Amino acid sequence: MLPAVEPAPDPRTVLRERFGFEAFRPHQEAVCRALVDGHDVLLVMPTGAGKSLCYQLPALVRAQCATGGAALVVSPLIALMEDQVQKLVARGLRAERIHSGRAREDSRAACRAYLEGALDFLFFAPERLAVPGFPELLAKRPPSLIAVDEAHCISHWGHDFRPEYRMLGERLPVLRGASDVPVVALTATATSVVQDDIATLLRLREPVRCIHGFRRHNLALEVVDCPPARRRLLAAKAIADADARPAILYAPTRKEAEEIAREFADEGLAVAAYHAGLPPAERERVQGAFAAGALEVVVATVAFGMGIDKADVRTVVHLALPSSLEAYSQEVGRAGRDGKPARAVLLGSFVDNKMHEFFLERDYPEPKQLRRLFTALDDTPRELDELRGHVRLGEATEKCLEKLWIHGGALVAHDQRITRGRDAWEEPYARQRTHKEEQLARMARFLGDKGCRQLALLAHFGDHDDRGPCGICDFCAPDACRVRSARALSNEEEQWVEAVLDALARGARGGLSAGKLYQASLEGRGVDRRTFDHVLGALARAGRVHLSDEVFRNERGERIAWTRVSAALDDGPARPLSVFVPERDAAPSGRGSGGRAKKRRVDPTWDAAPKALVEGLKRFRLDEAKRRKVPAFQICSDRALLGIASSAPSSRDQLLGVHGVGARFVERYGDAVLALVRRGGGESEEA
Ligand code: ADP
Ligand code: MG
């Protein structure tokens, strides 16, 4: 309980008077009460549901009735912080932030204001907690509560894991101090695995779990299984109507984002591309113009979205399968936040997974490769180059080391020499890798016509509020589709339907696998498997059969996935049968983006890059690694280093365009690296 200084104000009054809202949205009030009462909370609600209020309101209530000061808010992105602070200030609340984008002077002033009790909210980035003395400084004044926004970033299983978040578990107790300051973890994207991870890693104390609101009543999901070559056309169809815009198109690569934006611009749309390789000023311009309505369409990579609060996005189109249902759900969640009808069109096919698998293989080498490196290690400190020759893992050596290091299997000393770590790295690494594979498989399964799309997502997120079908997705309302077209069955198809139902009735009571059912019904009639799947989809949509995904691992640990078909209990009125017209390649020669995985970029090689520059960059990287006491690959990867050496960028923008180079690297080292490139890798004169 709180030491009552003043009687606790009524949350509803605070809602009206401080936030100007008439009523709570669903679940907000319950969460606010739990926090006011001092419980830890794990809050999982979709983007736009109003999670911020769930910590902002209780923070004010607690500050008023306890001696507590401001709420501490951990947030991963500068843009996100700036946006939140600005909104709070506009409401007349006292909010400040500390992050790398601000002058040291301003951050210091923010800290002082916090300690003097002159703030209601203080935002900061998680990496601040690593600054010696910072957590202790904050701990001098107990906060009203601690909120960890985008909390899924703490989990390896989450789709944008951030190592900086890992510190939180360790440092939060310092911030909580001796008092019982509640902690609330907020995220829009967490499966049950991630939820458990957040609770454990943040050391939440018997948290109240609130997982709600994933149902989006106004968002129609449409999923089109189609070859890559058809997609630009279908995307154009998806946003052709003025009512279908503003729209966000997610393209799988930067290059495609730019190409598609150009194509659409030629057709007269107000459109721009957005991706992480663009100069910050351009990114800001695009984001601003889209928010202000000057741009109708943004063609973006997944870099676009976090921190965007635009309520009237009418359509989100994916031009390839996202890497997980979590990512998909977050991205489609950006449509229709104003509650008016919106649509998300996913254009994908099984071949997209090939690209994801290619990246998975590259970013998560097989455990046996890591084992090879691990076995080569012992207590004698060794250089990476020495090991490289020894273990013969080629390009993968650095990745293997990084993964081993993350999981404790390798230690990297300040002089960058490597020794063997603990044995227990393999199991968690293998689990993580399997999880990534499973996410890809899940996403691919989503392509099939098996059931209501909303229900599939709700089940995935463990939101079991209600189980009714949405009534608006492509499964529930085929005729309302914007891209897919449904038609009545031909006579021949009617016969196929009968054959399938007959075979099902003859089969086992619990149903059959789709494969067996195919063999027992249409295979003999020369119908191909794809067409059979369309017939099955038609039956499922009409409520005549029930389809479910079954997954298990055999004794060798291999994943076996299949679709179970069972006869539907005949309740409810029969719905008409309709089939979707399949989207196939228009021209057989159609070469599309799906070939990407095979069409591997020819990576620059060490031999071709200018030697002096490579050496200079390596020296620079090593010095920085030693100075910051981190392994060299944390400064920049070999791939990025090689990219810089072979492209010799001459501006920050060009540097940012190098694969593997991020905004953060440019912010930190841009000037030094560009100077180094200008000198061709030689030492600086003044040094
Ligand atoms: P989330 O963090 O869950 O993505 P936000 O907290 O940013 O969502 O809220 C989304 C929008 O909803 C914001 O514009 C916010 O002002 C608004 N909002 C939140 N709660 C309410 C409410 N009770 N009544 C009306 N609008 C609300
Ligand atoms: Mg939020």
Side-chain angles (χ1 to χ4, degrees), residues 51-52 84 149-150:
K51 290 186 292 297
S52 319
Q84 299 271 6
D149 206 1
E150 310 293 342

Side-chain angles (χ1 to χ4, degrees), residues 15 20-25 28 45-54 56 83-84 87 91 149-150 186 188 309 337:
L15 182 73
F21 295 144
E22 277 313 305
F24 280 111
R25 288 205 183 143
Q28 284 181 327
M45 294 206 296
T47 308
K51 290 186 292 297
S52 319
L53 184 92
C54 295
Q56 290 168 353
D83 184 58
Q84 299 271 6
K87 282 189 180 145
R91 293 211 155 94
D149 206 1
E150 310 293 342
L186 308 103
D309 189 7
R337 290 197 198 166

Side-chain angles (χ1 to χ4, degrees), residues 442-686:
R442 278 236 168 91
M443 192 66 239
R445 283 209 300 279
F446 192 67
L447 278 172
D449 292 306
K450 299 201 188 90
C452 168
R453 307 282 177 193
Q454 284 266 354
L455 281 185
L457 285 187
L458 291 178
H460 184 65
F461 287 100
D463 176 347
H464 298 297
D465 275 359
D466 57 313
R467 294 166 173 279
C470 75
I472 54 175
C473 71
D474 60 343
F475 188 87
C476 295
D479 291 334
C481 283
R482 202 179 287 160
V483 172
R484 305 186 87 177
S485 40
R487 57 161 174 76
L489 270 58
S490 66
N491 286 342
E492 188 176 36
E493 284 162 345
E494 298 271 10
Q495 288 167 19
W496 293 345
V497 158
E498 291 313 316
V500 170
L501 290 175
D502 277 353
L504 188 61
R506 285 194 312 268
R509 287 198 77 205
L512 288 174
S513 75
K516 287 244 168 63
L517 186 58
Y518 173 52
Q519 285 165 10
S521 60
L522 300 189
E523 192 176 34
R525 297 176 178 229
V527 176
D528 68 17
R529 175 62 199 260
R530 225 178 124 87
T531 307
F532 166 80
D533 284 338
H534 272 276
V535 172
L536 210 51
L539 281 167
R541 279 195 302 282
R544 310 275 288 271
V545 302
H546 180 76
L547 306 179
S548 57
D549 286 322
E550 311 278 330
V551 180
F552 69 94
R553 284 191 181 268
N554 66 12
E555 60 273 27
R556 268 177 299 168
E558 293 156 340
R559 246 179 105 266
I560 312 285
W562 56 288
T563 304
R564 181 196 298 278
V565 189
S566 41
L569 309 166
D570 58 353
D571 50 357
R575 275 167 283 155
L577 280 162
S578 66
V579 283
F580 281 122
V581 180
E583 285 296 342
R584 300 210 161 127
D585 264 318
S589 67
R591 249 188 336 123
S593 41
R596 264 180 331 269
K598 278 164 275 160
K599 215 170 43 185
R600 288 173 57 169
R601 249 176 335 104
V602 184
D603 278 322
T605 63
W606 292 107
D607 300 338
K611 276 227 162 42
L613 185 50
V614 168
E615 290 312 316
L617 285 166
K618 279 190 173 172
R619 241 185 346 264
F620 172 80
R621 174 171 72 171
L622 187 62
D623 290 345
E624 278 309 310
K626 285 182 179 166
R627 199 171 63 77
R628 300 192 44 225
K629 302 189 171 51
V630 295
F633 53 74
Q634 291 285 94
I635 303 290
C636 100
S637 69
D638 276 354
R639 205 161 63 90
L641 190 145
L642 197 52
I644 299 172
S646 26
S647 64
S650 62
S651 67
R652 284 176 150 244
D653 293 348
Q654 287 179 11
L655 181 58
L656 193 58
V658 174
H659 260 268
V661 170
R664 212 182 176 131
F665 179 86
V666 176
E667 195 174 298
R668 254 195 198 138
Y669 307 115
D671 293 337
V673 167
L674 288 172
L676 190 69
V677 171
R678 269 197 304 277
R679 296 193 303 269
E683 300 285 338
S684 139
E685 319 229 305
E686 59 269 31

Side-chain angles (χ1 to χ4, degrees), residues 223-457:
V223 180
V224 195
D225 190 341
C226 59
R230 293 276 297 153
R231 294 186 194 160
R232 293 191 189 181
L233 205 74
L234 298 178
K237 194 168 162 190
I239 60 164
D241 263 6
D243 291 354
R245 310 189 290 261
I248 303 174
L249 269 54
Y250 283 107
T253 64
R254 296 174 178 185
K255 189 164 147 269
E256 275 176 88
E258 289 184 6
E259 281 172 14
I260 295 170
R262 232 175 287 127
E263 277 175 27
F264 284 4
D266 288 345
E267 277 159 34
L269 279 178
V271 51
Y274 183 104
H275 57 72
L278 292 173
E282 171 66 1
R283 290 209 305 261
E284 223 158 88
R285 184 193 73 79
V286 172
Q287 193 162 323
F290 188 59
L295 284 173
E296 293 178 283
V297 181
V298 171
V299 191
T301 61
V302 292
F304 187 71
M306 246 210 202
I308 305 253
D309 189 7
K310 183 172 170 64
D312 62 346
V313 175
R314 297 270 67 87
T315 309
V316 167
V317 179
H318 283 89
L319 282 122
L321 279 192
S323 58
S324 66
L325 280 174
E326 289 84 326
Y328 170 72
S329 131
Q330 190 159 51
E331 283 146 22
V332 300
R334 294 182 181 125
R337 290 197 198 166
D338 55 7
K340 297 186 186 140
R343 181 166 287 263
V345 177
L346 168 57
L347 307 171
S349 82
F350 202 66
V351 297
D352 300 351
N353 254 21
K354 290 271 170 293
M355 173 187 70
H356 290 306
E357 279 161 14
F358 167 73
F359 288 124
L360 183 91
E361 290 296 322
R362 190 194 68 191
D363 297 338
Y364 294 85
E366 283 187 44
K368 69 172 187 231
Q369 291 187 297
L370 269 68
R371 213 178 305 133
R372 180 128 47 109
L373 179 60
F374 181 72
T375 341
L377 296 173
D378 52 29
D379 291 341
T380 316
R382 292 204 169 81
E383 305 273 348
L384 180 59
D385 282 337
E386 183 188 342
L387 288 162
R388 214 191 287 272
H390 192 57
V391 294
R392 295 169 182 242
L393 288 166
E395 297 281 296
T397 319
E398 190 187 46
K399 235 336 144 205
C400 288
L401 175 62
E402 183 192 325
K403 295 296 175 196
L404 267 185
W405 176 75
I406 287 174
H407 293 277
L411 305 173
V412 183
H414 294 159
D415 65 0
Q416 297 301 312
R417 291 202 293 179
I418 306 151
T419 49
R420 181 184 273 217
R422 58 195 173 87
D423 272 331
W425 60 270
E426 186 157 353
E427 198 268 343
Y429 176 70
R431 265 206 316 150
Q432 182 185 12
R433 196 170 181 282
T434 309
H435 179 73
K436 294 270 171 203
E437 285 173 341
E438 230 135 65
Q439 284 182 314
L440 295 184
R442 278 236 168 91
M443 192 66 239
R445 283 209 300 279
F446 192 67
L447 278 172
D449 292 306
K450 299 201 188 90
C452 168
R453 307 282 177 193
Q454 284 266 354
L455 281 185
L457 285 187

